[in-house]
Amino acid sequence: MTGKEFCHFYSRGRFFTIETGGEYVLGRQESARGGCMVVKVSNLVKRYGDLIALDHFQLDVEQGEIFGLLGPNGSGKTTAINCILSLLSFDKGEIEVFGKNMTPSSYDIKRDIGIVMQNVAVIDELTVYENIDYFCGLYVPEKKLRKDLVEEAIDFVGLGDFRKFYPKKLSGGLLRRLNIACGIAHKPKLIILDEPTVAVDPQSRNNILEGIVRLNQQGATVIYTSHYMEEVEQICTRIGIMDKGRIIALGTKEDLKGMIRVGEKITIEFLTGDPQDHVEWVQELPFIASVTTQNHNLLITTERGHNGLGSILSAVHDRGIQVGRVFCELPTLNDVFLEITGKELRDQ
């Protein structure tokens, strides 16, 4: 049995089509890219009254991926995750996990899934060790095996010095790490993390991200939702950008950046004069996409495929303009989101 699914989106007069479907081989679904499919969501629709939370949502996640699901609050990320886990009913569509239809009673599937939600879910009356042991025990009844798994989880998240602490005594970053340990102690094949770094300090955030990469290297497939673009860009092998209940762009970070008009972002600091006086002639240079000013800086974006820094600096020099620092950087996922949706990614 073969079948193909497609993801479509429209941006700046261009219509993109990406094949996301796959093929069933010996009862196991394989993606168009050749990998084994872990999650497949087809034409998922979820309504809350007149509000369409998921609008024919499509998703495929291959074994071994760290798949980043990016989008602002209200875009449908958490709703999609809850539907995939059969924690929410939906109006239309199909969901398969590990090649099987996912239902609320699919306990054989759920044993191989680890969940770390945005809201910390631990028991205040239990210590760090007792919390991890309790949640691991929901999947692993054998005490000796569970003890080894709990110790491994404690070491993995770096909570060895806090095993006897109660959650209320932990900092926000340590509490997040405990939350992760509770979700992954039973060694799931699929780990879903829904914004696990909200409101944590930079050091704890980096520790969490490094831990997610290690889990993936140990064989886990990861779905990672966030509204922090830099996190997704740092760890994810493939990325889907959501807005208004559907994926509007899909691919690696290089794929996504190649879809937009912006090629380079150049910042030139003016030591004399007003940068605003130079916007018009810079805009007339070849391959310039946009020119704006900020304080004493001229902010320039060039069109994709063209390196305009040399010609810009040459033109600035010919006019005798004194400049200070000059920065040149490639587009980020924020630029992708802004061009495709016309708005900044937001967390509220």
Side-chain angles (χ1 to χ4, degrees), residues 10-31:
Y10 179 83
S11 173
R12 292 187 180 270
R14 301 172 65 193
F15 188 75
F16 298 94
T17 301
I18 301 176
E19 182 179 332
T20 62
E23 178 177 345
Y24 285 95
V25 179
L26 300 177
R28 183 184 67 175
Q29 189 179 12
E30 297 191 356
S31 76

Side-chain angles (χ1 to χ4, degrees), residues 102-330:
M102 185 64 162
T103 69
S105 60
S106 298
Y107 302 118
D108 58 329
I109 298 175
K110 294 182 179 182
R111 289 190 190 97
D112 289 324
I113 301 176
I115 308 163
V116 181
M117 303 302 281
Q118 178 179 351
N119 296 322
V120 174
V122 296
I123 301 172
D124 289 338
E125 292 75 19
L126 300 181
T127 65
V128 164
Y129 182 96
E130 291 167 341
N131 261 287
I132 301 172
D133 181 66
Y134 172 79
F135 285 101
C136 187
L138 298 176
Y139 304 90
V140 183
E142 299 89 349
K143 289 185 178 180
K144 185 179 184 305
L145 175 58
R146 189 169 71 245
K147 180 180 179 181
D148 293 340
L149 291 173
V150 171
E151 291 293 345
E152 187 174 340
I154 288 175
D155 290 341
F156 184 83
V157 297
L159 289 177
D161 294 335
F162 304 92
R163 63 177 60 239
K164 294 183 179 180
F165 279 53
Y166 289 90
K168 290 183 179 179
K169 296 294 184 179
L170 299 178
S171 67
L174 293 175
L175 193 58
R176 291 281 175 184
R177 283 150 67 178
L178 171 59
N179 200 41
I180 291 174
C182 290
I184 59 93
H186 62 292
K187 289 189 174 297
K189 297 176 183 177
L190 171 63
I191 302 174
I192 299 175
L193 300 109
D194 187 14
E195 302 189 20
T197 63
V198 170
V200 301
D201 60 273
Q203 183 177 2
S204 294
R205 175 172 293 164
N206 189 62
N207 182 284
I208 290 170
L209 295 178
E210 289 177 350
I212 293 169
V213 173
R214 292 201 305 274
L215 288 169
N216 178 250
Q217 291 171 343
Q218 293 173 6
T221 300
V222 178
I223 298 177
Y224 187 81
T225 80
S226 181
H227 54 246
Y228 296 124
M229 288 192 174
E230 67 278 6
E231 292 183 1
V232 174
E233 189 165 3
Q234 178 180 339
I235 68 171
C236 293
T237 55
R238 202 159 56 96
I239 301 162
I241 297 180
M242 284 191 72
D243 196 30
K244 297 180 180 178
R246 65 192 314 169
I247 288 183
I248 59 174
L250 179 67
T252 66
K253 61 184 179 182
E254 291 80 13
D255 292 335
L256 296 179
K257 292 174 184 179
M259 294 173 182
I260 64 172
R261 184 185 177 199
V262 174
E264 292 179 339
K265 298 189 298 180
I266 300 168
T267 301
I268 301 177
E269 180 187 31
F270 279 62
L271 298 179
T272 59
D274 186 351
Q276 186 64 44
D277 296 336
H278 304 281
V279 169
E280 187 173 345
W281 69 261
V282 173
Q283 183 69 70
E284 294 176 354
L285 293 174
F287 312 121
I288 300 298
S290 67
V291 184
T292 58
T293 61
Q294 184 180 68
N295 299 325
H296 295 290
N297 297 322
L298 199 63
L299 311 180
I300 305 166
T301 60
T302 65
E303 294 181 355
R304 181 166 55 92
H306 299 284
N307 183 346
L309 179 59
S311 60
I312 292 170
L313 291 180
S314 177
V316 167
H317 176 75
D318 290 345
R319 285 168 170 76
I321 301 169
Q322 293 185 352
V323 300
R325 293 174 296 178
V326 177
F327 301 95
C328 183
E329 60 180 336
L330 296 174

